[in-house]
Amino acid sequence: DAGITQSPRHKVTETGTPVTLRCHQTENHRYMYWYRQDPGHGLRLIHYSYGVKDTDKGEVSDGYSVSRSKTEDFLLTLESATSSQTSVYFCAISDHSSEQFFGPGTRLTVL
Amino acid sequence: AQRVTQPEKLLSVFKGAPVELKCNYSYSGSPELFWYVQYSRQRLQLLLRHISRESIKGFTADLNKGETSFHLKKPFAQEEDSAMYYCALYTGTASKLTFGTGTRLQVTL
């Protein structure tokens, strides 16, 4: 597996609380992505980064923010978690090729 | 806008039977397509990409630009092929991929 880790791997939280998920890579890849995976929807892009401090929105960015202060770390923040954000979150990385490498996923439950 | 369609949510086949997972796409540019596989509770991993024209684990996929399809095929299904399969389209911007909704392949004895 490419050097991608996600933390935490599992989290249960309550509606209205802030949550931050971390993606860490050791591959020095330029691009990083956050997806959510939901039954019937497949993988949907939340946000992505094309360099340190360079980020942009994906197709389902409402309610999420990201930050990338270092090449190796890409943080996803839910400012005020809602039950609709219960999902499995995957981080991915890519260099200048078209292939993406995925992290192990974080299972988030919002009660 | 680009779009990837996988019409089947679940495909159930017997061991040894042929498999075809359907994928259709819409994209105005020159497409680059992938199949990713996700085994139970594991991370997604690349299965194959059309530009390499290789066969991985007995799976093949041919890009048909006329039918805008990239169906995944295997002549004889194995139990270990049971997994979730995603078709993905590369759009050439920031290495972004657009994924289909996925097809769960279930291979039974």
Side-chain angles (χ1 to χ4, degrees):
Chain A
D1 292 333
I4 314 168
T5 56
Q6 293 183 230
S7 58
R9 294 293 313 280
H10 302 271
K11 186 169 182 67
V12 179
T13 192
E14 293 187 350
T15 298
T17 59
V19 176
T20 295
L21 308 183
R22 179 181 184 237
C23 177
H24 179 78
Q25 61 146 328
T26 58
E27 305 296 320
N28 200 36
H29 282 0
R30 176 182 179 185
Y31 302 104
M32 298 185 76
Y33 312 84
W34 277 109
Y35 293 90
R36 59 178 291 173
Q37 182 185 43
D38 303 288
H41 293 279
L43 274 83
R44 292 179 291 175
L45 183 65
I46 304 171
H47 282 280
Y48 66 99
S49 170
Y50 45 96
V52 174
K53 298 186 179 179
D54 291 324
T55 65
D56 206 348
K57 295 179 180 180
E59 62 178 300
V60 290
S61 59
D62 287 349
Y64 302 94
S65 62
V66 290
S67 65
R68 190 170 179 198
S69 58
K70 300 184 289 184
T71 298
E72 56 266 35
D73 289 325
F74 192 33
L75 304 180
L76 176 71
T77 297
L78 291 66
E79 302 290 346
S80 177
T82 68
S83 58
S84 64
Q85 293 175 312
T86 292
S87 186
V88 180
Y89 292 85
F90 284 97
C91 173
I93 64 174
S94 181
D95 56 14
H96 293 277
S97 72
S98 50
E99 182 177 353
Q100 292 187 11
F101 302 91
F102 285 81
T106 294
R107 188 171 295 272
L108 176 68
T109 301
V110 184
L111 301 175
Chain B
Q2 62 275 2
R3 186 182 185 94
V4 177
T5 302
Q6 293 180 251
E8 303 139 329
K9 288 186 178 180
L10 172 66
L11 182 64
S12 186
V13 302
F14 289 109
K15 179 180 176 181
V19 174
E20 183 179 49
L21 301 173
K22 291 183 166 50
C23 172
N24 289 91
Y25 67 91
S26 62
Y27 181 52
S28 57
S30 181
E32 184 173 350
L33 286 131
F34 301 81
W35 277 99
Y36 279 80
V37 61
Q38 184 183 27
Y39 300 102
S40 181
R41 294 186 175 265
Q42 295 186 23
R43 69 182 73 196
L44 276 83
Q45 53 188 282
L46 180 66
L47 181 61
L48 53 80
R49 57 201 301 178
H50 90 270
I51 59 172
S52 63
R53 301 186 65 81
E54 57 189 342
S55 172
I56 304 294
K57 298 184 179 182
F59 285 98
T60 59
D62 290 318
L63 178 62
N64 185 323
K65 292 186 179 181
E67 296 183 357
T68 60
S69 68
F70 188 56
H71 302 328
L72 183 68
K73 299 177 183 179
K74 185 171 183 177
F76 308 104
Q78 303 298 317
E79 283 182 85
E80 55 265 30
D81 296 330
S82 294
M84 194 74 174
Y85 291 81
Y86 291 98
C87 183
L89 170 68
Y90 172 60
T91 59
T93 304
S95 289
K96 287 194 295 182
L97 294 174
T98 298
F99 284 86
T101 52
T103 298
R104 179 168 300 283
L105 176 64
Q106 184 175 294
V107 181
T108 56
L109 295 175

